[in-house]
Amino acid sequence: MTGYRAIKYTLFICCYVFWVVSAVLIAVGIYAKIAKETDVVDTLTLDPALLLIVVGSVMFLITLLGCFGALRNDTCLLKAFLGILAAVLVLQVAAGVVGYLFTDVVMERTDRLMMKAIVRYREDQDLENAIDFIQKKFQCCGVESYKDWSQNVYFQCSDTNPSLEACGVPFSCCVRLQNQTVLNTMCGYGQQRVEERSARQKIFTAGCLEKIVWWAKNNLLLVAGLSGGLLLLELVMICLAAAQISWINKVLRQAGSKPPRNDSLSYPAFGNSDE
């Protein structure tokens, strides 16, 4: 029964690792949500904290089924885990195929989503930090260009805008000098009034959508490797769950007994597999 135990505990360890990761995601999301003010963005697509909670909760429930199903030899839980994980895998593959076939539609939807994030830049601290991180990481500004920041009420470039940041861009758009130690948070002030050639000397003028797509194309092997690795891990867990279910049913048939009506069988957590 060594092979059975290897399948059982390998599946349990994999599920347990993802279960711990999901619990951490939920904790971070709840902490970030509580730390916010009450009147902030609460939509799933624009609230990183809420997104962490939702993704973490889904992972938590799925991996919990896998953990208990594998440890207790419960075919009902294992089948539920296998079915949900298989559905998630199919949805991921379908999303990838649809994204590849309808690239223009995906790019258009992404453009709209990013523009909404710019409009709500100052309404959510987590969203603001996420945008600043992206602009610093990819050395970009706005969605298509630095002038997209005029869509935000604080940076809107108009004579009637009373904001001190009118016609400016966030400091995360600024080009940092090599030996600069003190961050100048006012470096983006008034840069929307400047022509792109002149503005390029102080801020990043290229849009983030273009930079992200360019990065993905130049790191295609890395992106494909990470995506393929995740799909492969999910497929391995599905195969392990199917193998454990098959082995349990085989033991029942050899013992000459029929499974209960609920199609579940629970053994002691660390009992012998031939019990």
Side-chain angles (χ1 to χ4, degrees):
M1 295 296 179
T2 305
Y4 171 77
R5 288 177 177 173
I7 292 173
K8 172 179 178 176
Y9 292 114
T10 301
L11 178 60
F12 171 75
I13 291 172
C14 291
C15 291
Y16 181 76
V17 170
F18 278 98
W19 183 70
V20 173
V21 171
S22 65
V24 172
L25 291 178
I26 295 173
V28 172
I30 292 175
Y31 173 79
K33 197 70 178 173
I34 294 175
K36 293 180 184 179
E37 299 177 1
T38 56
D39 55 343
V40 296
V41 182
D42 57 357
T43 57
L44 179 60
T45 54
L46 294 177
D47 190 344
L50 186 59
L51 186 61
L52 284 177
I53 295 174
V54 172
V55 173
S57 299
V58 173
M59 285 180 57
F60 186 89
L61 293 175
I62 295 175
T63 52
L64 190 64
L65 291 175
C67 283
F68 279 98
L71 195 61
R72 302 298 302 180
N73 302 323
D74 193 318
T75 56
C76 183
L77 293 180
L78 286 171
K79 286 181 179 180
F81 170 74
L82 189 153
I84 295 174
L85 197 59
V88 171
L89 181 63
V90 171
L91 289 176
Q92 288 175 330
V93 174
V97 172
V98 171
Y100 178 78
L101 296 177
F102 301 96
T103 305
D104 294 338
V105 177
V106 173
M107 293 293 290
E108 183 181 352
R109 295 290 180 92
T110 305
D111 187 292
R112 288 185 200 170
L113 182 62
M114 293 177 68
M115 194 64 73
K116 286 181 180 179
I118 283 181
V119 171
R120 299 183 176 183
Y121 175 73
R122 287 289 171 78
E123 298 179 21
D124 188 332
Q125 187 65 44
D126 292 332
L127 182 63
E128 181 177 335
N129 292 334
I131 293 175
D132 287 337
F133 172 79
I134 291 173
Q135 292 191 147
K136 291 177 183 178
K137 178 67 177 178
F138 294 98
Q139 297 184 350
C140 57
C141 190
V143 181
E144 297 179 358
S145 74
Y146 66 106
K147 293 192 176 181
D148 289 336
W149 280 102
S150 193
Q151 300 297 320
N152 185 280
V153 292
Y154 295 96
F155 302 99
Q156 185 179 18
C157 195
S158 65
D159 296 333
T160 57
N161 187 1
S163 174
L164 294 175
E165 298 174 305
C167 293
V169 294
F171 73 93
S172 55
C173 290
C174 297
V175 177
R176 297 193 64 177
L177 301 178
Q178 187 174 4
N179 297 323
Q180 185 178 2
T181 57
V182 180
L183 180 64
N184 180 14
T185 57
M186 300 176 63
C187 55
Y189 280 32
Q191 290 301 311
Q192 290 188 52
R193 295 193 181 97
V194 182
E195 293 294 330
E196 183 174 351
R197 181 180 300 178
S198 301
R200 196 178 293 123
Q201 299 176 3
K202 293 185 177 181
I203 64 172
F204 305 117
T205 57
C208 290
L209 183 58
E210 177 186 350
K211 281 295 190 76
I212 292 174
V213 172
W214 178 86
W215 181 89
K217 289 181 178 178
N218 284 272
N219 295 272
L220 192 59
L221 290 178
L222 176 61
V223 175
L226 292 175
S227 302
L230 178 61
L231 295 178
L232 181 61
L233 182 58
E234 292 176 359
L235 185 60
V236 168
M237 293 171 69
I238 289 173
C239 292
L240 289 173
Q244 186 171 357
I245 293 172
S246 177
W247 205 306
I248 293 173
N249 291 333
K250 181 181 177 181
V251 171
L252 288 174
R253 287 194 299 268
Q254 290 177 348
S257 59
K258 296 182 180 179
R261 290 186 178 181
N262 62 359
D263 197 25
S264 67
L265 181 63
S266 297
Y267 293 122
F270 295 96
N272 294 328
S273 58
D274 56 348
E275 288 182 9

